[in-house]
Amino acid sequence: MGPGGCFLLNLMLVFSTAVTTSASSWRSPYTNFDQQPDWKTQQHANSEFNQVHRSRQNLIRQTSLRWQQTRLSAASSSRFRYQGLEAGFYYSRVFYVTDNGADPSGQKDSTEALQKTITEAFAVGSAHDLDPGIPDLGGVEVHLEGGEYLISAPLQFPATGGGNIVIHGGTLRANETFPTDRYLLEMWSAAGIQRRSNRTVASLRDRSHHSLNCLKDYIASYEDITIRDMMFDANFRGGGLLIVDSIRINVENMYMSHYTTDGILVEGSHEIYIQNSYFGQFITTGASPLEKDSSGVAINIISNDNVVSNVVIFSGAVGVQVSGQGNLLTGIHAYNKPTDLGGIGIFLQLPGYSQTRILNSYLDGTGIVADDPAQVDISHNFFNGDAYVLLRSSKVDHSIEQVTIMNNMFAGSWRGTPIVQLDQKMGSFAFVDRTIVDQNTAYGMKLKATVARATVSGYGRKFSTDISDRLLFPNRIQNVQYSLFVPTSNSYPRYALRSVQDNRVLVEADCKVSGTLTVVVDQSSDILYTVGSVSA
């Protein structure tokens, strides 16, 4: 056992002896509660009790002082910490930012002190790796001690990379000179910058130069990092958190505000979990007059295989913007900039490769936009305030493939807003494959679906029904099931399907009858599978 351990052991023995001795020597001057002590006896008892109390308080103060000295010494340099381990001196691996001079009152610039603390935490020695080349820091913590810290430049993770570290417990706030194209905390290594031909932070948001496929030489720099229990205030000067070339990062219980670019930008990363957090460019509870001027994106994901769950987005132009595959969005409550003002709740901006699931979310006044969606599941959500789903053609493609929009609830203001809409300004959808819009409910909005049912009754030879008001796609009926019910006639008329032009179904009988035509139509696919054969 090293000198620090001996000190703590001796301290525990002294404390135990003091308490035991005092407790055994002090006895109540009377045991019969009906027998009242004289004032001298009572005064002596009180004196002994106060003496024990003072000794205990002194011992606590000495212990606290010694602990503070140990922390200050340990935080003085990462080199000391590593040598201390070799000497057998055990210490806490919690790095307190105030030990390096950070101002928790938010009055002075704490950039240098915070950066120093982060660098020291990453410099902790380790004999283990996580993913190859990523040092395992053993669970080290950077503790912000509940303070709010003013910064004038981005806090950056060391270029050497690392993992198994927690940063938590405080507020980061940009000052008036913070660069408007940067993020309060940036997780981007030098190797990652080099692999991207030295692109700037601002250029990461530009998708015209971005390849969504994983680079062949992709190497993660950061892994198993938790950022939690913090507020990021960008002060309308840039963004909150930047995560690049990282895997298995947990962002939890965060409050992101006053960003003009992104609350969080995730680029080229995998298995990033963003959960139980709040986002707003303006801090409001809704219907703010400032909302019309909002421009920020709360969560911007240009990556694959990530999860956003149980987050509230109360302000900003876009709630969640996704430009990657295999992402899951669930439990999103978005009431940011309304659709009527140009806002979007969830934006799937990856034409032809969406592969995204949107489940159990609440879109309030702001809806979902998907560009040329492919393999998208939108299910069990609640759309309020005339919010709807918009399927939009893009410059890249004009197709909708394997999209499911089912079991959602829609509520509106009886303006006749369709629950699902098409935007074909960039070109009509030339190809629709296995797309199902069905089994949704609407209150105060107009139902749209790819499956529709209708009946028409009357007397005559031609029975016609127009289902265009219910069907999503114009003139795209691919399958029809129909029957003609003739209850009172003694004859058995022959009848056949004649036309499905412009979403109107026409069935004609060989004679006039009094009957009811029932049809079920389907627009879900341009691909019809042929089973069997036709012969003479």
Side-chain angles (χ1 to χ4, degrees):
M1 181 178 296
C6 292
F7 168 76
L8 294 176
L9 179 59
N10 292 336
L11 195 61
M12 293 172 61
L13 292 174
V14 170
F15 180 83
S16 175
T17 304
V19 174
T20 305
T21 303
S22 301
S24 60
S25 61
W26 184 80
R27 292 288 186 271
S28 174
Y30 57 93
T31 55
N32 185 347
F33 291 97
D34 294 330
Q35 177 185 355
Q36 300 297 322
D38 57 58
W39 68 273
K40 290 184 179 181
T41 304
Q42 183 65 52
Q43 187 178 39
H44 177 71
N46 290 339
S47 176
E48 287 195 25
F49 177 80
N50 290 334
Q51 183 177 357
V52 172
H53 182 70
R54 283 194 298 272
S55 299
R56 188 174 182 181
Q57 289 298 106
N58 288 335
L59 192 59
I60 292 173
R61 280 195 293 270
Q62 291 174 8
T63 304
S64 178
L65 179 60
R66 176 60 177 169
W67 173 241
Q68 293 293 334
Q69 292 173 344
T70 302
R71 277 177 47 201
L72 289 172
S73 298
S76 61
S77 72
S78 56
R79 180 182 177 88
F80 174 85
R81 284 175 170 265
Y82 187 70
Q83 290 177 343
L85 274 178
E86 290 178 335
F89 182 77
Y90 297 94
Y91 52 85
S92 170
R93 281 190 166 193
V94 179
F95 289 78
Y96 296 89
V97 295
T98 57
D99 291 344
N100 282 322
D103 175 19
S105 69
Q107 301 299 313
K108 299 179 181 179
D109 191 333
S110 296
T111 308
E112 185 176 346
L114 294 171
Q115 185 63 66
K116 182 180 179 182
T117 307
I118 293 173
T119 302
E120 288 174 350
F122 271 81
V124 169
S126 175
H128 304 283
D129 280 349
L130 296 171
D131 203 55
I134 302 179
D136 181 355
L137 303 178
V140 65
E141 293 185 30
V142 174
H143 203 315
L144 274 70
E145 305 176 72
E148 57 175 295
Y149 302 93
L150 201 63
I151 60 175
S152 56
L155 301 177
Q156 297 177 304
F157 282 20
T160 53
N164 195 3
I165 180 173
V166 178
I167 300 177
H168 66 103
T171 297
L172 298 181
R173 183 165 285 120
N175 71 2
E176 297 302 325
T177 63
F178 192 92
T180 57
D181 60 346
R182 301 294 293 273
Y183 295 77
L184 298 179
L185 184 61
E186 296 180 352
M187 193 183 305
W188 192 13
S189 70
I193 296 174
Q194 185 177 6
R195 282 196 298 272
R196 286 171 174 75
S197 302
N198 296 313
R199 287 171 59 193
T200 63
V201 170
S203 71
L204 291 175
R205 306 182 81 238
D206 183 6
R207 286 162 186 77
S208 62
H209 302 292
H210 176 69
S211 174
L212 289 165
N213 296 323
C214 293
L215 300 173
K216 292 181 179 179
D217 57 344
Y218 174 81
I219 300 175
S221 300
Y222 307 100
E223 181 181 4
D224 187 22
I225 294 177
T226 297
I227 302 172
R228 61 174 172 82
D229 307 333
M230 296 181 66
M231 179 178 183
F232 281 22
D233 181 355
N235 194 22
F236 301 107
R237 300 191 62 82
L241 175 61
L242 173 66
I243 302 174
V244 183
D245 292 345
S246 303
I247 56 175
R248 304 174 193 122
I249 307 297
N250 184 39
V251 181
E252 184 173 8
N253 194 28
M254 302 291 289
Y255 195 115
M256 299 284 188
S257 67
H258 300 149
Y259 45 83
T260 54
T261 53
D262 309 294
I264 298 177
L265 171 59
V266 181
E267 214 271 17
S269 300
H270 300 273
E271 298 160 10
I272 311 300
Y273 273 63
I274 302 170
Q275 53 192 339
N276 305 327
S277 297
Y278 302 89
F279 297 81
Q281 184 173 1
F282 302 102
I283 297 180
T284 174
T285 54
S288 170
L290 299 173
E291 199 63 59
K292 67 180 188 305
D293 300 320
S294 61
S295 59
V297 178
I299 303 172
N300 194 349
I301 299 177
I302 313 177
S303 299
N304 301 341
D305 313 329
N306 307 289
V307 175
V308 179
S309 66
N310 302 322
V311 302
V312 176
I313 302 161
F314 51 85
S315 177
V318 179
V320 182
Q321 185 164 295
V322 179
S323 301
Q325 303 169 348
N327 294 291
L328 171 62
L329 312 179
T330 179
I332 312 295
H333 181 193
Y335 58 101
N336 51 295
K337 189 175 185 177
T339 300
D340 292 346
L341 297 178
I344 301 174
I346 298 175
F347 186 13
L348 304 184
Q349 194 183 25
L350 184 60
Y353 300 97
S354 310
Q355 295 179 325
T356 297
R357 293 156 291 162
I358 304 174
L359 311 173
N360 303 313
S361 295
Y362 178 12
L363 286 300
D364 193 354
T366 180
I368 297 174
V369 176
D371 286 350
D372 290 326
Q375 288 194 315
V376 173
D377 182 11
I378 302 174
S379 301
H380 298 95
N381 303 287
F382 176 42
F383 295 78
N384 192 31
D386 291 305
Y388 57 87
V389 179
L390 180 65
L391 307 179
R392 189 169 69 178
S393 65
S394 71
K395 296 180 180 179
V396 178
D397 200 359
H398 307 304
S399 66
I400 302 176
E401 300 182 59
Q402 302 174 42
V403 173
T404 301
I405 304 174
M406 296 184 67
N407 299 310
N408 301 285
M409 297 187 300
F410 294 82
S413 57
W414 301 96
R415 296 186 300 179
T417 303
I419 64 171
V420 182
Q421 302 181 27
L422 304 177
D423 181 347
Q424 302 184 81
K425 296 184 182 68
M426 300 303 298
S428 299
F429 287 111
F431 181 68
V432 177
D433 177 31
R434 285 164 287 182
T435 293
I436 301 174
V437 180
D438 196 18
Q439 298 183 17
N440 300 292
T441 61
Y443 180 82
M445 297 181 70
K446 181 185 291 186
L447 272 174
K448 285 289 184 177
T450 57
V451 177
R453 303 157 184 83
T455 61
V456 58
S457 299
Y459 176 77
R461 292 179 58 248
K462 297 181 179 180
F463 291 77
S464 176
T465 178
D466 185 351
I467 323 176
S468 57
D469 192 53
R470 175 61 56 87
L471 292 174
L472 176 62
F473 298 101
N475 195 27
R476 196 181 287 272
I477 294 177
Q478 300 298 318
N479 182 271
V480 181
Q481 299 178 35
Y482 62 97
S483 65
L484 181 62
F485 176 53
V486 183
T488 59
S489 176
N490 292 325
S491 63
Y492 296 90
R494 292 175 293 178
Y495 58 95
L497 177 66
R498 293 299 191 185
S499 173
V500 292
Q501 185 70 26
D502 297 325
N503 290 336
R504 292 181 175 90
V505 177
L506 173 63
V507 173
E508 185 175 356
D510 62 349
C511 62
K512 290 183 177 182
V513 294
S514 179
T516 298
L517 173 68
T518 301
V519 298
V520 179
V521 300
D522 184 4
Q523 296 185 318
S524 63
S525 181
D526 284 341
I527 300 176
L528 298 179
Y529 296 96
T530 302
V531 178
S533 61
V534 178
S535 59

